Amino acid sequence: MRLRRVLAATDLSAGARLALGRAARLASAHDAQLTVLSVVPPSLEDEVSAFAAETLADHVAAHAMPEVDVVLRTGTVSDTILIEALDREVDLIVLGAHGERGFTGSLTGATTENVAHASHCPVLVVRTPVPDYRTVLLAVDDTTSARRAAQWGIDLTPSAVHVLAHVSVVIGEQLLRLSGLGDSDLERLREASTAEIRPRVEALAAELHPRPDAVVVGSGTPQRALPELVSHYRADLAVTGSGSSTRFERVLLGSVAQSVLRYAPSDVLVVRGSARRTEPRAL
């Protein structure tokens, strides 16, 4: 399925123009319909609705393409975004990493995380002004949901350099260290863990089309190592899954996705593991 409908949420702040501009470029490249949504909290509806509607129209005219649906709603910000996305059957939600208190409901970091983890479709969180994605880091484990997220990232950015990255975890490493295991022994365990997982990660890479340009398998804590890898490779976009089939995997991957969202210096694409698959056309 190609990318048909994109929903961009804005709080009308200066920072929101980055997300709106990104959404407009993606919608134009994929020949998709763009909807721009702003949400007014119920407590402010009577005071700012008319002014917010005028401001929203000016905001969209300055930062988006001509063919766009403009929607102003009243309600809780994250819930309203999710409902609008479901009602319009969008394939991608685009948000700013954080907003500023403006005339409408602010897109705070908590709002962005709530939408990213609850959305039925992929969510792109924008924090950089780069015009095009040049290097994309695909953060994976060896699950089906991770493969889906990686393929979605490749399909969305076919002209970029793609780095498939996996961080291998030594289970109980901290307890082993506390029990007296030395650094050299821990390093051997990390090397063994990396050697064990590498064939599965390479097999995952071989299933992707086109195959990523590079495969990196390291060891450590994914929550810390993945944002560091984004910086190391100067990636413009990091792609991660938000959850998988089992309760344990949802908690683990959710924690990793949350860390990437919070600390990666790039834009972040979060792809929900249980969501229906939507494959955008090549740019």
mmCIF file of all heavy atoms in Angstrom, residues 139-190:
data_model
loop_
_atom_site.group_PDB
_atom_site.id
_atom_site.type_symbol
_atom_site.label_atom_id
_atom_site.label_comp_id
_atom_site.label_asym_id
_atom_site.label_seq_id
_atom_site.Cartn_x
_atom_site.Cartn_y
_atom_site.Cartn_z
ATOM 1 N N ALA A 139 17.132 0.961 13.596
ATOM 2 C CA ALA A 139 17.406 0.271 14.855
ATOM 3 C C ALA A 139 16.527 -0.969 14.955
ATOM 4 O O ALA A 139 15.300 -0.868 14.930
ATOM 5 C CB ALA A 139 17.141 1.203 16.036
ATOM 6 N N VAL A 140 17.155 -2.153 15.064
ATOM 7 C CA VAL A 140 16.381 -3.394 15.031
ATOM 8 C C VAL A 140 16.825 -4.370 16.109
ATOM 9 O O VAL A 140 17.936 -4.308 16.626
ATOM 10 C CB VAL A 140 16.508 -4.096 13.659
ATOM 11 C CG1 VAL A 140 15.993 -3.210 12.544
ATOM 12 C CG2 VAL A 140 17.953 -4.533 13.388
ATOM 13 N N ASP A 141 15.905 -5.286 16.455
ATOM 14 C CA ASP A 141 16.277 -6.551 17.069
ATOM 15 C C ASP A 141 16.027 -7.596 15.987
ATOM 16 O O ASP A 141 16.038 -7.259 14.803
ATOM 17 C CB ASP A 141 15.499 -6.799 18.361
ATOM 18 C CG ASP A 141 13.994 -6.716 18.160
ATOM 19 O OD1 ASP A 141 13.547 -6.824 17.007
ATOM 20 O OD2 ASP A 141 13.269 -6.549 19.153
ATOM 21 N N ASP A 142 15.797 -8.855 16.338
ATOM 22 C CA ASP A 142 15.598 -9.849 15.278
ATOM 23 C C ASP A 142 14.152 -10.317 15.202
ATOM 24 O O ASP A 142 13.873 -11.443 14.827
ATOM 25 C CB ASP A 142 16.541 -11.045 15.469
ATOM 26 C CG ASP A 142 16.259 -11.806 16.758
ATOM 27 O OD1 ASP A 142 15.627 -11.224 17.658
ATOM 28 O OD2 ASP A 142 16.672 -12.977 16.862
ATOM 29 N N THR A 143 13.203 -9.421 15.520
ATOM 30 C CA THR A 143 11.788 -9.768 15.485
ATOM 31 C C THR A 143 11.153 -9.315 14.172
ATOM 32 O O THR A 143 11.694 -8.491 13.423
ATOM 33 C CB THR A 143 11.026 -9.108 16.640
ATOM 34 O OG1 THR A 143 11.091 -7.680 16.490
ATOM 35 C CG2 THR A 143 11.618 -9.507 17.982
ATOM 36 N N THR A 144 9.974 -9.876 13.897
ATOM 37 C CA THR A 144 9.229 -9.500 12.700
ATOM 38 C C THR A 144 8.852 -8.023 12.726
ATOM 39 O O THR A 144 8.887 -7.339 11.698
ATOM 40 C CB THR A 144 7.956 -10.357 12.582
ATOM 41 O OG1 THR A 144 8.328 -11.736 12.515
ATOM 42 C CG2 THR A 144 7.163 -9.997 11.339
ATOM 43 N N SER A 145 8.485 -7.512 13.895
ATOM 44 C CA SER A 145 8.089 -6.108 13.983
ATOM 45 C C SER A 145 9.266 -5.185 13.671
ATOM 46 O O SER A 145 9.089 -4.121 13.075
ATOM 47 C CB SER A 145 7.530 -5.797 15.376
ATOM 48 O OG SER A 145 8.506 -5.989 16.373
ATOM 49 N N ALA A 146 10.480 -5.592 14.067
ATOM 50 C CA ALA A 146 11.655 -4.782 13.759
ATOM 51 C C ALA A 146 11.926 -4.765 12.263
ATOM 52 O O ALA A 146 12.306 -3.733 11.689
ATOM 53 C CB ALA A 146 12.873 -5.314 14.499
ATOM 54 N N ARG A 147 11.746 -5.914 11.607
ATOM 55 C CA ARG A 147 11.922 -5.970 10.155
ATOM 56 C C ARG A 147 10.914 -5.052 9.465
ATOM 57 O O ARG A 147 11.250 -4.335 8.521
ATOM 58 C CB ARG A 147 11.734 -7.399 9.654
ATOM 59 C CG ARG A 147 11.905 -7.524 8.135
ATOM 60 C CD ARG A 147 11.351 -8.836 7.599
ATOM 61 N NE ARG A 147 11.463 -8.892 6.158
ATOM 62 C CZ ARG A 147 10.652 -8.262 5.310
ATOM 63 N NH1 ARG A 147 9.671 -7.492 5.793
ATOM 64 N NH2 ARG A 147 10.824 -8.350 4.007
ATOM 65 N N ARG A 148 9.682 -5.066 9.950
ATOM 66 C CA ARG A 148 8.654 -4.204 9.360
ATOM 67 C C ARG A 148 9.024 -2.731 9.494
ATOM 68 O O ARG A 148 8.881 -1.951 8.560
ATOM 69 C CB ARG A 148 7.307 -4.475 10.044
ATOM 70 C CG ARG A 148 6.193 -3.550 9.548
ATOM 71 C CD ARG A 148 4.873 -3.847 10.236
ATOM 72 N NE ARG A 148 3.871 -2.924 9.744
ATOM 73 C CZ ARG A 148 3.645 -1.733 10.250
ATOM 74 N NH1 ARG A 148 4.362 -1.320 11.271
ATOM 75 N NH2 ARG A 148 2.722 -0.949 9.742
ATOM 76 N N ALA A 149 9.506 -2.351 10.690
ATOM 77 C CA ALA A 149 9.894 -0.960 10.911
ATOM 78 C C ALA A 149 11.037 -0.575 9.985
ATOM 79 O O ALA A 149 11.037 0.517 9.389
ATOM 80 C CB ALA A 149 10.299 -0.755 12.369
ATOM 81 N N ALA A 150 12.035 -1.461 9.856
ATOM 82 C CA ALA A 150 13.177 -1.164 8.989
ATOM 83 C C ALA A 150 12.741 -1.013 7.536
ATOM 84 O O ALA A 150 13.187 -0.096 6.825
ATOM 85 C CB ALA A 150 14.229 -2.262 9.120
ATOM 86 N N GLN A 151 11.870 -1.912 7.069
ATOM 87 C CA GLN A 151 11.418 -1.815 5.680
ATOM 88 C C GLN A 151 10.627 -0.537 5.444
ATOM 89 O O GLN A 151 10.747 0.108 4.399
ATOM 90 C CB GLN A 151 10.564 -3.031 5.312
ATOM 91 C CG GLN A 151 10.207 -3.102 3.826
ATOM 92 C CD GLN A 151 11.442 -3.251 2.950
ATOM 93 O OE1 GLN A 151 12.162 -4.237 3.049
ATOM 94 N NE2 GLN A 151 11.698 -2.269 2.088
ATOM 95 N N TRP A 152 9.831 -0.151 6.430
ATOM 96 C CA TRP A 152 9.065 1.088 6.305
ATOM 97 C C TRP A 152 10.015 2.281 6.168
ATOM 98 O O TRP A 152 9.809 3.177 5.348
ATOM 99 C CB TRP A 152 8.160 1.267 7.529
ATOM 100 C CG TRP A 152 6.757 1.704 7.182
ATOM 101 C CD1 TRP A 152 5.655 0.925 7.103
ATOM 102 C CD2 TRP A 152 6.339 3.043 6.876
ATOM 103 N NE1 TRP A 152 4.571 1.690 6.762
ATOM 104 C CE2 TRP A 152 4.960 2.996 6.610
ATOM 105 C CE3 TRP A 152 6.994 4.273 6.789
ATOM 106 C CZ2 TRP A 152 4.221 4.112 6.275
ATOM 107 C CZ3 TRP A 152 6.251 5.401 6.455
ATOM 108 C CH2 TRP A 152 4.885 5.317 6.207
ATOM 109 N N GLY A 153 11.078 2.277 6.980
ATOM 110 C CA GLY A 153 12.047 3.361 6.907
ATOM 111 C C GLY A 153 12.748 3.413 5.572
ATOM 112 O O GLY A 153 12.975 4.499 5.013
ATOM 113 N N ILE A 154 13.086 2.253 5.017
ATOM 114 C CA ILE A 154 13.732 2.208 3.704
ATOM 115 C C ILE A 154 12.784 2.704 2.628
ATOM 116 O O ILE A 154 13.157 3.486 1.749
ATOM 117 C CB ILE A 154 14.210 0.775 3.393
ATOM 118 C CG1 ILE A 154 15.382 0.402 4.302
ATOM 119 C CG2 ILE A 154 14.612 0.635 1.930
ATOM 120 C CD1 ILE A 154 15.805 -1.053 4.194
ATOM 121 N N ASP A 155 11.533 2.234 2.670
ATOM 122 C CA ASP A 155 10.557 2.647 1.660
ATOM 123 C C ASP A 155 10.299 4.146 1.691
ATOM 124 O O ASP A 155 10.071 4.774 0.653
ATOM 125 C CB ASP A 155 9.240 1.906 1.881
ATOM 126 C CG ASP A 155 9.340 0.422 1.569
ATOM 127 O OD1 ASP A 155 10.301 0.023 0.894
ATOM 128 O OD2 ASP A 155 8.460 -0.340 2.015
ATOM 129 N N LEU A 156 10.317 4.715 2.894
ATOM 130 C CA LEU A 156 10.042 6.148 3.017
ATOM 131 C C LEU A 156 11.207 6.994 2.527
ATOM 132 O O LEU A 156 11.010 8.116 2.069
ATOM 133 C CB LEU A 156 9.734 6.484 4.478
ATOM 134 C CG LEU A 156 9.161 7.866 4.758
ATOM 135 C CD1 LEU A 156 7.747 7.988 4.197
ATOM 136 C CD2 LEU A 156 9.150 8.159 6.252
ATOM 137 N N THR A 157 12.428 6.455 2.588
ATOM 138 C CA THR A 157 13.634 7.235 2.273
ATOM 139 C C THR A 157 14.544 6.456 1.324
ATOM 140 O O THR A 157 15.699 6.169 1.647
ATOM 141 C CB THR A 157 14.408 7.565 3.554
ATOM 142 O OG1 THR A 157 14.828 6.322 4.177
ATOM 143 C CG2 THR A 157 13.555 8.341 4.542
ATOM 144 N N PRO A 158 14.083 6.125 0.125
ATOM 145 C CA PRO A 158 14.859 5.245 -0.756
ATOM 146 C C PRO A 158 16.174 5.826 -1.249
ATOM 147 O O PRO A 158 17.074 5.075 -1.630
ATOM 148 C CB PRO A 158 13.899 4.993 -1.922
ATOM 149 C CG PRO A 158 12.975 6.163 -1.911
ATOM 150 C CD PRO A 158 12.795 6.521 -0.475
ATOM 151 N N SER A 159 16.309 7.141 -1.240
ATOM 152 C CA SER A 159 17.545 7.750 -1.746
ATOM 153 C C SER A 159 18.616 7.915 -0.664
ATOM 154 O O SER A 159 19.739 8.339 -0.958
ATOM 155 C CB SER A 159 17.247 9.111 -2.374
ATOM 156 O OG SER A 159 16.706 9.996 -1.406
ATOM 157 N N ALA A 160 18.299 7.569 0.583
ATOM 158 C CA ALA A 160 19.239 7.748 1.684
ATOM 159 C C ALA A 160 20.189 6.555 1.804
ATOM 160 O O ALA A 160 19.944 5.481 1.253
ATOM 161 C CB ALA A 160 18.486 7.942 2.998
ATOM 162 N N VAL A 161 21.274 6.753 2.546
ATOM 163 C CA VAL A 161 22.144 5.655 2.968
ATOM 164 C C VAL A 161 21.526 5.043 4.217
ATOM 165 O O VAL A 161 21.219 5.760 5.178
ATOM 166 C CB VAL A 161 23.573 6.163 3.269
ATOM 167 C CG1 VAL A 161 24.423 5.045 3.882
ATOM 168 C CG2 VAL A 161 24.222 6.697 1.990
ATOM 169 N N HIS A 162 21.343 3.716 4.211
ATOM 170 C CA HIS A 162 20.673 3.051 5.318
ATOM 171 C C HIS A 162 21.663 2.197 6.112
ATOM 172 O O HIS A 162 22.360 1.352 5.541
ATOM 173 C CB HIS A 162 19.531 2.174 4.806
ATOM 174 C CG HIS A 162 18.451 2.957 4.130
ATOM 175 N ND1 HIS A 162 18.315 3.018 2.756
ATOM 176 C CD2 HIS A 162 17.482 3.754 4.639
ATOM 177 C CE1 HIS A 162 17.290 3.796 2.453
ATOM 178 N NE2 HIS A 162 16.772 4.257 3.574
ATOM 179 N N VAL A 163 21.710 2.431 7.418
ATOM 180 C CA VAL A 163 22.581 1.684 8.326
ATOM 181 C C VAL A 163 21.689 0.872 9.251
ATOM 182 O O VAL A 163 20.933 1.428 10.057
ATOM 183 C CB VAL A 163 23.478 2.623 9.147
ATOM 184 C CG1 VAL A 163 24.353 1.813 10.113
ATOM 185 C CG2 VAL A 163 24.347 3.480 8.229
ATOM 186 N N LEU A 164 21.763 -0.460 9.128
ATOM 187 C CA LEU A 164 20.997 -1.340 10.001
ATOM 188 C C LEU A 164 21.805 -1.583 11.275
ATOM 189 O O LEU A 164 22.937 -2.060 11.211
ATOM 190 C CB LEU A 164 20.718 -2.665 9.289
ATOM 191 C CG LEU A 164 19.717 -3.595 9.977
ATOM 192 C CD1 LEU A 164 18.300 -3.060 9.800
ATOM 193 C CD2 LEU A 164 19.821 -5.012 9.413
ATOM 194 N N ALA A 165 21.238 -1.250 12.426
ATOM 195 C CA ALA A 165 21.995 -1.305 13.678
ATOM 196 C C ALA A 165 21.271 -2.149 14.722
ATOM 197 O O ALA A 165 20.065 -1.997 14.938
ATOM 198 C CB ALA A 165 22.222 0.102 14.223
ATOM 199 N N HIS A 166 22.019 -3.045 15.356
ATOM 200 C CA HIS A 166 21.497 -3.851 16.457
ATOM 201 C C HIS A 166 22.465 -3.761 17.627
ATOM 202 O O HIS A 166 23.680 -3.863 17.451
ATOM 203 C CB HIS A 166 21.339 -5.314 16.045
ATOM 204 C CG HIS A 166 20.947 -6.205 17.191
ATOM 205 N ND1 HIS A 166 19.646 -6.336 17.613
ATOM 206 C CD2 HIS A 166 21.690 -6.971 18.023
ATOM 207 C CE1 HIS A 166 19.601 -7.155 18.646
ATOM 208 N NE2 HIS A 166 20.834 -7.560 18.923
ATOM 209 N N VAL A 167 21.913 -3.580 18.823
ATOM 210 C CA VAL A 167 22.722 -3.548 20.039
ATOM 211 C C VAL A 167 22.419 -4.807 20.849
ATOM 212 O O VAL A 167 21.297 -5.005 21.307
ATOM 213 C CB VAL A 167 22.442 -2.284 20.876
ATOM 214 C CG1 VAL A 167 23.274 -2.311 22.150
ATOM 215 C CG2 VAL A 167 22.751 -1.033 20.061
ATOM 216 N N SER A 168 23.430 -5.657 20.983
ATOM 217 C CA SER A 168 23.277 -6.921 21.694
ATOM 218 C C SER A 168 23.406 -6.704 23.198
ATOM 219 O O SER A 168 24.289 -5.978 23.655
ATOM 220 C CB SER A 168 24.342 -7.912 21.216
ATOM 221 O OG SER A 168 24.236 -9.135 21.907
ATOM 222 N N VAL A 169 22.522 -7.350 23.950
ATOM 223 C CA VAL A 169 22.485 -7.187 25.400
ATOM 224 C C VAL A 169 22.960 -8.466 26.084
ATOM 225 O O VAL A 169 22.506 -9.563 25.750
ATOM 226 C CB VAL A 169 21.057 -6.856 25.883
ATOM 227 C CG1 VAL A 169 21.018 -6.705 27.393
ATOM 228 C CG2 VAL A 169 20.548 -5.597 25.205
ATOM 229 N N VAL A 170 23.882 -8.345 27.013
ATOM 230 C CA VAL A 170 24.273 -9.461 27.866
ATOM 231 C C VAL A 170 23.308 -9.478 29.054
ATOM 232 O O VAL A 170 23.336 -8.576 29.904
ATOM 233 C CB VAL A 170 25.729 -9.324 28.358
ATOM 234 C CG1 VAL A 170 26.066 -10.450 29.336
ATOM 235 C CG2 VAL A 170 26.691 -9.343 27.178
ATOM 236 N N ILE A 171 22.429 -10.482 29.088
ATOM 237 C CA ILE A 171 21.414 -10.551 30.131
ATOM 238 C C ILE A 171 22.082 -10.672 31.501
ATOM 239 O O ILE A 171 22.949 -11.520 31.718
ATOM 240 C CB ILE A 171 20.464 -11.741 29.905
ATOM 241 C CG1 ILE A 171 19.812 -11.644 28.524
ATOM 242 C CG2 ILE A 171 19.409 -11.805 31.006
ATOM 243 C CD1 ILE A 171 18.981 -10.403 28.327
ATOM 244 N N GLY A 172 21.677 -9.800 32.427
ATOM 245 C CA GLY A 172 22.205 -9.847 33.778
ATOM 246 C C GLY A 172 23.614 -9.293 33.920
ATOM 247 O O GLY A 172 24.313 -9.609 34.893
ATOM 248 N N GLU A 173 24.021 -8.447 32.976
ATOM 249 C CA GLU A 173 25.396 -7.934 33.014
ATOM 250 C C GLU A 173 25.688 -7.195 34.319
ATOM 251 O O GLU A 173 26.755 -7.363 34.920
ATOM 252 C CB GLU A 173 25.660 -7.016 31.824
ATOM 253 C CG GLU A 173 27.058 -6.419 31.824
ATOM 254 C CD GLU A 173 27.368 -5.629 30.567
ATOM 255 O OE1 GLU A 173 26.852 -5.970 29.489
ATOM 256 O OE2 GLU A 173 28.140 -4.648 30.685
ATOM 257 N N GLN A 174 24.760 -6.388 34.777
ATOM 258 C CA GLN A 174 25.009 -5.622 35.995
ATOM 259 C C GLN A 174 25.158 -6.540 37.210
ATOM 260 O O GLN A 174 26.020 -6.331 38.065
ATOM 261 C CB GLN A 174 23.872 -4.616 36.229
ATOM 262 C CG GLN A 174 24.114 -3.647 37.375
ATOM 263 C CD GLN A 174 25.355 -2.792 37.164
ATOM 264 O OE1 GLN A 174 25.722 -2.476 36.040
ATOM 265 N NE2 GLN A 174 26.029 -2.423 38.250
ATOM 266 N N LEU A 175 24.322 -7.586 37.265
ATOM 267 C CA LEU A 175 24.428 -8.533 38.369
ATOM 268 C C LEU A 175 25.752 -9.298 38.308
ATOM 269 O O LEU A 175 26.378 -9.561 39.339
ATOM 270 C CB LEU A 175 23.258 -9.518 38.331
ATOM 271 C CG LEU A 175 21.880 -8.946 38.698
ATOM 272 C CD1 LEU A 175 20.802 -10.006 38.528
ATOM 273 C CD2 LEU A 175 21.886 -8.422 40.135
ATOM 274 N N LEU A 176 26.166 -9.635 37.091
ATOM 275 C CA LEU A 176 27.447 -10.323 36.932
ATOM 276 C C LEU A 176 28.598 -9.444 37.408
ATOM 277 O O LEU A 176 29.545 -9.915 38.055
ATOM 278 C CB LEU A 176 27.658 -10.719 35.464
ATOM 279 C CG LEU A 176 26.737 -11.821 34.928
ATOM 280 C CD1 LEU A 176 26.895 -11.962 33.422
ATOM 281 C CD2 LEU A 176 27.033 -13.149 35.618
ATOM 282 N N ARG A 177 28.500 -8.168 37.088
ATOM 283 C CA ARG A 177 29.549 -7.241 37.524
ATOM 284 C C ARG A 177 29.563 -7.127 39.058
ATOM 285 O O ARG A 177 30.626 -7.120 39.686
ATOM 286 C CB ARG A 177 29.322 -5.866 36.890
ATOM 287 C CG ARG A 177 30.438 -4.860 37.181
ATOM 288 C CD ARG A 177 30.122 -3.508 36.561
ATOM 289 N NE ARG A 177 30.115 -3.564 35.110
ATOM 290 C CZ ARG A 177 31.222 -3.482 34.359
ATOM 291 N NH1 ARG A 177 32.409 -3.368 34.947
ATOM 292 N NH2 ARG A 177 31.135 -3.520 33.054
ATOM 293 N N LEU A 178 28.364 -7.042 39.634
ATOM 294 C CA LEU A 178 28.284 -6.933 41.094
ATOM 295 C C LEU A 178 28.786 -8.204 41.780
ATOM 296 O O LEU A 178 29.270 -8.157 42.916
ATOM 297 C CB LEU A 178 26.847 -6.640 41.514
ATOM 298 C CG LEU A 178 26.308 -5.253 41.154
ATOM 299 C CD1 LEU A 178 24.827 -5.149 41.491
ATOM 300 C CD2 LEU A 178 27.097 -4.162 41.868
ATOM 301 N N SER A 179 28.658 -9.341 41.099
ATOM 302 C CA SER A 179 29.108 -10.600 41.688
ATOM 303 C C SER A 179 30.616 -10.789 41.579
ATOM 304 O O SER A 179 31.153 -11.795 42.062
ATOM 305 C CB SER A 179 28.391 -11.780 41.027
ATOM 306 O OG SER A 179 28.813 -11.926 39.681
ATOM 307 N N GLY A 180 31.287 -9.819 40.913
ATOM 308 C CA GLY A 180 32.735 -9.876 40.875
ATOM 309 C C GLY A 180 33.337 -10.222 39.535
ATOM 310 O O GLY A 180 34.570 -10.334 39.410
ATOM 311 N N LEU A 181 32.510 -10.392 38.487
ATOM 312 C CA LEU A 181 33.056 -10.695 37.160
ATOM 313 C C LEU A 181 33.835 -9.496 36.638
ATOM 314 O O LEU A 181 33.355 -8.366 36.666
ATOM 315 C CB LEU A 181 31.915 -11.050 36.201
ATOM 316 C CG LEU A 181 32.300 -11.857 34.956
ATOM 317 C CD1 LEU A 181 32.780 -13.244 35.362
ATOM 318 C CD2 LEU A 181 31.107 -11.962 34.012
ATOM 319 N N GLY A 182 35.045 -9.737 36.160
ATOM 320 C CA GLY A 182 35.912 -8.653 35.716
ATOM 321 C C GLY A 182 35.560 -8.130 34.340
ATOM 322 O O GLY A 182 34.783 -8.731 33.594
ATOM 323 N N ASP A 183 36.184 -6.997 33.983
ATOM 324 C CA ASP A 183 35.914 -6.356 32.696
ATOM 325 C C ASP A 183 36.272 -7.261 31.522
ATOM 326 O O ASP A 183 35.561 -7.295 30.511
ATOM 327 C CB ASP A 183 36.688 -5.038 32.588
ATOM 328 C CG ASP A 183 36.120 -3.962 33.496
ATOM 329 O OD1 ASP A 183 34.961 -4.116 33.937
ATOM 330 O OD2 ASP A 183 36.833 -2.985 33.772
ATOM 331 N N SER A 184 37.395 -7.985 31.627
ATOM 332 C CA SER A 184 37.810 -8.846 30.524
ATOM 333 C C SER A 184 36.818 -9.981 30.298
ATOM 334 O O SER A 184 36.504 -10.341 29.152
ATOM 335 C CB SER A 184 39.212 -9.410 30.779
ATOM 336 O OG SER A 184 39.234 -10.162 31.991
ATOM 337 N N ASP A 185 36.282 -10.542 31.392
ATOM 338 C CA ASP A 185 35.285 -11.609 31.270
ATOM 339 C C ASP A 185 33.979 -11.066 30.695
ATOM 340 O O ASP A 185 33.332 -11.713 29.857
ATOM 341 C CB ASP A 185 35.018 -12.243 32.634
ATOM 342 C CG ASP A 185 36.200 -13.042 33.142
ATOM 343 O OD1 ASP A 185 36.939 -13.614 32.306
ATOM 344 O OD2 ASP A 185 36.413 -13.073 34.371
ATOM 345 N N LEU A 186 33.599 -9.877 31.135
ATOM 346 C CA LEU A 186 32.392 -9.259 30.592
ATOM 347 C C LEU A 186 32.551 -8.968 29.110
ATOM 348 O O LEU A 186 31.607 -9.145 28.324
ATOM 349 C CB LEU A 186 32.069 -7.974 31.360
ATOM 350 C CG LEU A 186 31.432 -8.146 32.742
ATOM 351 C CD1 LEU A 186 31.356 -6.812 33.461
ATOM 352 C CD2 LEU A 186 30.044 -8.762 32.625
ATOM 353 N N GLU A 187 33.727 -8.534 28.720
ATOM 354 C CA GLU A 187 33.969 -8.241 27.310
ATOM 355 C C GLU A 187 33.862 -9.506 26.470
ATOM 356 O O GLU A 187 33.333 -9.490 25.351
ATOM 357 C CB GLU A 187 35.342 -7.598 27.127
ATOM 358 C CG GLU A 187 35.642 -7.147 25.707
ATOM 359 C CD GLU A 187 34.614 -6.152 25.187
ATOM 360 O OE1 GLU A 187 34.096 -5.350 25.985
ATOM 361 O OE2 GLU A 187 34.334 -6.189 23.962
ATOM 362 N N ARG A 188 34.349 -10.630 27.006
ATOM 363 C CA ARG A 188 34.225 -11.894 26.280
ATOM 364 C C ARG A 188 32.750 -12.305 26.143
ATOM 365 O O ARG A 188 32.334 -12.821 25.102
ATOM 366 C CB ARG A 188 35.012 -12.994 26.996
ATOM 367 C CG ARG A 188 36.517 -12.932 26.730
ATOM 368 C CD ARG A 188 37.214 -14.196 27.184
ATOM 369 N NE ARG A 188 37.226 -14.322 28.639
ATOM 370 C CZ ARG A 188 38.188 -13.822 29.408
ATOM 371 N NH1 ARG A 188 39.204 -13.156 28.864
ATOM 372 N NH2 ARG A 188 38.141 -13.980 30.725
ATOM 373 N N LEU A 189 31.976 -12.051 27.190
ATOM 374 C CA LEU A 189 30.544 -12.335 27.101
ATOM 375 C C LEU A 189 29.872 -11.458 26.046
ATOM 376 O O LEU A 189 29.007 -11.923 25.296
ATOM 377 C CB LEU A 189 29.887 -12.115 28.463
ATOM 378 C CG LEU A 189 30.124 -13.176 29.542
ATOM 379 C CD1 LEU A 189 29.510 -12.745 30.864
ATOM 380 C CD2 LEU A 189 29.559 -14.518 29.106
ATOM 381 N N ARG A 190 30.260 -10.193 25.994
ATOM 382 C CA ARG A 190 29.692 -9.289 24.981
ATOM 383 C C ARG A 190 30.043 -9.765 23.575
ATOM 384 O O ARG A 190 29.202 -9.740 22.667
ATOM 385 C CB ARG A 190 30.196 -7.859 25.201
ATOM 386 C CG ARG A 190 29.743 -7.207 26.497
ATOM 387 C CD ARG A 190 30.108 -5.739 26.512
ATOM 388 N NE ARG A 190 29.943 -5.152 27.840
ATOM 389 C CZ ARG A 190 30.948 -4.855 28.655
ATOM 390 N NH1 ARG A 190 32.206 -5.078 28.269
ATOM 391 N NH2 ARG A 190 30.709 -4.333 29.842
#
